[in-house]
Amino acid sequence: MSSTAHGARARARIEVTAAIKAEARRQLAEEGAAKLSLRAVARELGMASSALYRYFPNRDDLLTALIIDAYDSVGEAAEAARDAVADAGPAVRWTAVCEGVRRWALGHPHEYALIYGTPVPGYAAPDTTVPPAGRGAMVFVGILRDAHRGPGLAVPALPAGLEPEAVRMAADIAPDLPPEVVATMVAVWAQLFGLIGFELFGQFNRVVEDRDTFFRHAVGQLARTVGLT
């Protein structure tokens, strides 16, 4: 096969894969991840099911691709928000990244629900999803590293009983940071997505009206909790 023909076939595969995932995302928005169907995707695209199976052998393979794309997308949003204020101090970058993640979530509610919402029944995420899942978190780790090396971190206190777990988490996530910081960052990471999830899924309705100001205040508190001054 000539290189030209091989390149055309590769481009065609990329285009068909993108079309499959785009239709699957549309189905996510309408039906939810639990009802995602390869046959329905093939039907909407005018493909035979057997042809689609050459791209994604089963539903879980397609879900995994969508999950990886979603994690990479929110990770890119976090990185772009950080880079937009690259010359600012760690606390400012922290707030900017939190706001970037929130903007992404509000603009991609169904992808957010796929990766941070209710688990899909019968689906077990493979190890290939782990690096993309950590991409956004590593942006926050990088900010904390810069603060630790530069202006300094106010290392939070932890109860003695949590020290072994904090040491274990630090060894896995960021061995160059104090274990107290890493353990607190994990808690703050969860709280950030709790804030976003409450807004996205309607729990703030009739409670919080000025959500931009409220969110900025809340993530400022999270920054101070993790030791950014």
Side-chain angles (χ1 to χ4, degrees), residues 136-229:
M138 288 301 103
V139 175
F140 289 101
V141 170
I143 293 170
L144 294 176
R145 282 190 177 123
D146 288 347
H148 187 50
R149 294 167 183 163
L153 277 171
V155 177
L158 292 181
L162 188 56
E163 288 181 7
E165 179 66 0
V167 170
R168 185 198 62 77
M169 284 193 284
D172 287 344
I173 298 171
D176 53 334
L177 287 175
E180 298 89 343
V181 171
V182 175
T184 305
M185 187 205 75
V186 172
V188 163
W189 174 250
Q191 291 172 66
L192 169 64
F193 284 99
L195 280 167
I196 293 171
F198 260 51
E199 179 176 5
L200 196 63
F201 300 135
Q203 281 89 349
F204 281 158
N205 290 350
R206 300 185 180 180
V207 178
V208 180
E209 294 185 357
D210 186 353
R211 294 177 184 173
D212 292 345
T213 302
F214 178 82
F215 183 82
R216 193 171 300 115
H217 165 72
V219 298
Q221 288 187 316
L222 295 181
R224 289 186 288 277
T225 297
V226 82
L228 293 172
T229 58

Side-chain angles (χ1 to χ4, degrees), residues 9 30 47 94 96 102 105 110 129 180 182 185-186 193 205:
R9 178 168 294 183
E30 291 191 354
M47 296 175 65
W94 174 280
R102 173 177 174 254
H110 305 294
T129 62
E180 298 89 343
V182 175
M185 187 205 75
V186 172
F193 284 99
N205 290 350

